[in-house]
Amino acid sequence: MGNNYLDELHAISLSDANRIAPKRLEILEGRTLKVPNVNFGLYTGNVYVTVNYQDGKPYEIFITSPEISVDHMLLQDCLSRFISLCLRHGVKIGFII
């Protein structure tokens, strides 16, 4: 029996890891989703997830929420950058989630 996560990692070849991401266009189309009432421990509030598309595929993501701690803000920024990097290099969304 194989573990899907490990199988997916095994399937990634060295050439895929060295693939160059497509250059970002100056203007991208995007959509923002409001996720209401997310609990951050001491704060419960809205989270806004913006996904920008290039050539019909998700290219970058931004996760933001007002009135959160610096720690949570840094975590959101880190997640946004990591997910965007994965998307640019062709990692499947199901693998990221």
Side-chain angles (χ1 to χ4, degrees), residues 17-85:
N18 293 325
R19 180 178 41 213
I20 296 174
K23 185 176 179 181
R24 187 189 188 282
L25 300 175
E26 191 170 323
I27 298 174
L28 298 178
E29 292 281 330
R31 294 187 183 263
T32 300
L33 171 68
K34 177 182 174 181
V35 183
N37 302 320
V38 175
N39 186 342
F40 291 103
L42 297 175
Y43 166 77
T44 299
N46 300 323
V47 173
Y48 299 89
V49 180
T50 301
V51 180
N52 290 332
Y53 297 85
Q54 181 165 308
D55 299 326
K57 298 177 185 174
Y59 186 81
E60 61 190 8
I61 186 171
F62 298 96
I63 305 168
T64 56
S65 57
E67 303 176 28
I68 60 170
S69 70
V70 173
D71 291 339
H72 286 110
M73 192 180 332
L74 292 172
L75 179 61
Q76 287 180 7
D77 184 54
C78 181
L79 282 171
S80 296
R81 290 172 185 249
F82 173 73
I83 294 170
S84 295
L85 181 65

